[in-house]
């Protein structure tokens, strides 16, 4: 009996330590969000109204407009913050016509895809464009693939950036916690629901959020089911390249590796923790290198983690590559292909 009591006390102590660790991760994430706001408002000058809208040149003026789709827990704007800092302005400066979309922060890929499709149809109707070039980050890559599968007549190209095409090892770990109803699952779902409410409030959205559905869409089982129903561009062999063109739609992808690239970038510390889940391959903290492959693989090992690859916390990334230039270079690529 005494041993049983001691064992129970030990388990309670371990549970408390684990809960404090999860709370610490939540606090670290909150601090990272505050750091984004601090960096943007104090060090990154806000563009004046109309700034960078006059093209410096037209080498990225694609035939069809570029439509950007954010990832999980994403948004278009939250006050002065944008999901794509510097990227939209740089594309416009080089002549591109760019549209930023907004879908639910936490939802299944299919629901987010339907929300995105409605916006694509609106963009086409409003601009008179025949088609659009879709670029999606993280889970946004699944949403744009869904749109291309449903309405290939409206899509010239699909480009996924750091998207878990064949699933995320971190999502596998999270989904396992949810299925086993562990203490970590309770913490994950609570943090997710809180984050969803906050994004809705801060961005002025009213989306219904579904954290379990979002997590299930990004693990190995969920992505396998998604790929079975929407196979365009998915590699036939692990870590291979997929079909570059399906139903008249061109498919591209790029991704990064490494979790810690800049000591002043607080999300790097978070990515260093989430990156511990990756055992099979190198990743960017949330997505594995080979798991990001779709269609023509431009590159899968840029020295950028999952947040840096879309320039969140501008300038705080490895010096070898500027994430903004990757998007400009891709727009130039699309232009050269007549897209």
């Amino acid at each position: 009996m005494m041993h049983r009591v001691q064992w129970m006390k030990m388990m309670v102590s371990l549970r408390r330590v684990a809960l404090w660790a999860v709370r610490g991760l939540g606090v670290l994430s909150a601090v990272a969000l505050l750091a984004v706001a601090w960096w943007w408002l104090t060090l990154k000058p806000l563009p004046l109204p109309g700034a960078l809208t006059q093209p410096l040149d037209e080498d990225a003026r694609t035939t069809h407009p570029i439509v950007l789709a954010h990832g999980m827990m994403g948004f278009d704007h939250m006050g002065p913050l944008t999901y794509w800092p510097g990227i939209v302005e740089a594309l416009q400066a080089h002549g591109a016509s760019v549209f930023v979309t907004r879908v639910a922060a936490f939802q299944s890929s299919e629901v987010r895809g339907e929300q995105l499709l409605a916006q694509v149809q609106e963009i086409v109707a409003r601009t008179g464009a025949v088609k659009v070039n879709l670029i999606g980050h993280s889970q946004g890559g699944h949403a744009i693939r869904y749109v291309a599968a449903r309405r290939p007549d409206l899509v010239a190209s699909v480009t996924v950036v750091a998207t878990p095409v064949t699933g995320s090892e971190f999502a596998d770990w999270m989904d396992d916690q949810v299925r086993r109803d562990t203490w970590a699952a309770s913490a994950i779902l609570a943090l997710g629901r809180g984050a969803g409410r906050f994004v809705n409030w801060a961005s002025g959205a009213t989306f219904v959020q579904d954290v379990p559905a979002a997590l299930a869409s990004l693990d190995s089982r969920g992505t396998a089911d998604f790929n079975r129903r929407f196979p365009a561009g998915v590699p036939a062999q692990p870590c291979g390249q997929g079909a570059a063109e399906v139903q008249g739609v061109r498919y591209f992808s790029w991704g990064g590796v490494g979790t810690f690239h800049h000591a002043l970038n607080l999300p790097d510390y978070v990515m260093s923790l989430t990156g511990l889940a990756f055992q099979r391959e190198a990743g960017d903290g949330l997505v594995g290198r080979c798991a990001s492959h779709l269609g023509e693989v431009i590159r899968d090992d840029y020295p950028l983690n999952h947040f840096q690859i879309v320039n969140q916390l501008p300038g705080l990334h490895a010096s070898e590559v500027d994430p903004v230039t990757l998007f400009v270079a891709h727009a130039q690529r699309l232009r050269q292909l007549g897209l």
Side-chain angles (χ1 to χ4, degrees), residues 1-239:
M1 183 67 178
M2 182 64 68
H3 290 299
R4 180 178 178 81
V5 171
Q6 291 176 339
W7 181 82
M8 291 180 67
K9 288 182 177 179
M10 181 182 69
M11 292 302 296
V12 169
S13 297
L14 289 174
R15 179 186 176 90
R16 287 173 178 169
V17 170
L19 285 173
W20 275 110
V22 171
R23 289 168 182 164
L25 182 59
V27 170
L28 188 59
S29 300
V31 171
L33 183 60
L34 290 174
V36 172
W38 169 79
W39 171 262
W40 188 264
L41 292 174
T42 62
L43 298 182
K44 184 73 175 179
L46 293 174
L48 296 173
L52 294 180
T53 57
Q54 295 300 318
L56 302 177
D57 53 56
E58 297 185 357
D59 62 354
R61 185 182 291 276
T62 54
T63 300
H64 309 289
I66 293 173
V67 175
L68 301 176
H70 65 74
M72 180 187 289
M73 207 171 71
F75 50 90
D76 52 357
H77 293 84
M78 288 200 304
L81 300 179
T82 72
Y83 190 88
W84 313 88
I87 292 172
V88 174
E89 294 87 351
L91 288 170
Q92 291 174 336
H94 288 274
S97 175
V98 186
F99 293 87
V100 177
T101 58
R102 178 176 65 180
V103 299
F106 294 94
Q107 261 295 357
S108 70
S109 295
E110 290 83 353
V111 170
R112 297 172 101 245
E114 279 293 325
Q115 293 169 349
L116 179 62
L117 175 56
Q119 292 172 71
V120 168
Q121 291 172 324
E122 180 183 350
I123 290 168
V124 169
R126 177 155 39 99
T127 63
V130 178
K131 298 183 176 184
V132 296
N133 291 300
L134 296 172
I135 300 179
H137 172 238
S138 194
Q139 193 185 7
H142 292 307
I144 65 174
R145 291 173 56 199
Y146 178 91
V147 172
R150 287 284 311 277
R151 291 295 305 271
D153 57 306
L154 297 180
V155 181
S157 70
V158 161
T159 303
V160 301
V161 179
T163 291
V165 175
T166 54
S168 163
E169 290 186 65
F170 181 69
D172 286 343
W173 177 84
M174 289 198 298
D175 193 56
D176 179 64
Q177 301 303 308
V178 172
R179 286 188 292 106
R180 294 192 291 113
D181 194 25
T182 66
W183 59 265
S186 299
I188 290 167
L189 293 176
L191 287 171
R193 292 187 185 103
R197 287 193 294 268
F198 174 77
V199 172
N200 265 355
W201 171 78
S203 63
T206 58
F207 292 114
V208 174
Q209 310 288 354
D210 190 335
V211 179
L215 297 179
S217 289
L218 299 180
D219 65 15
S220 298
R221 294 185 307 162
T223 53
D225 179 61
F226 187 87
N227 292 340
R228 178 183 58 80
R229 290 179 288 125
F230 309 108
V234 177
Q237 301 297 327
C239 216

Side-chain angles (χ1 to χ4, degrees), residues 233-244 251 253 293-299:
V234 177
Q237 301 297 327
C239 216
Q241 298 205 36
Y251 285 82
S253 62
H293 287 203
L294 183 78
E296 179 183 339
V297 180
I298 296 168
R299 185 173 166 181

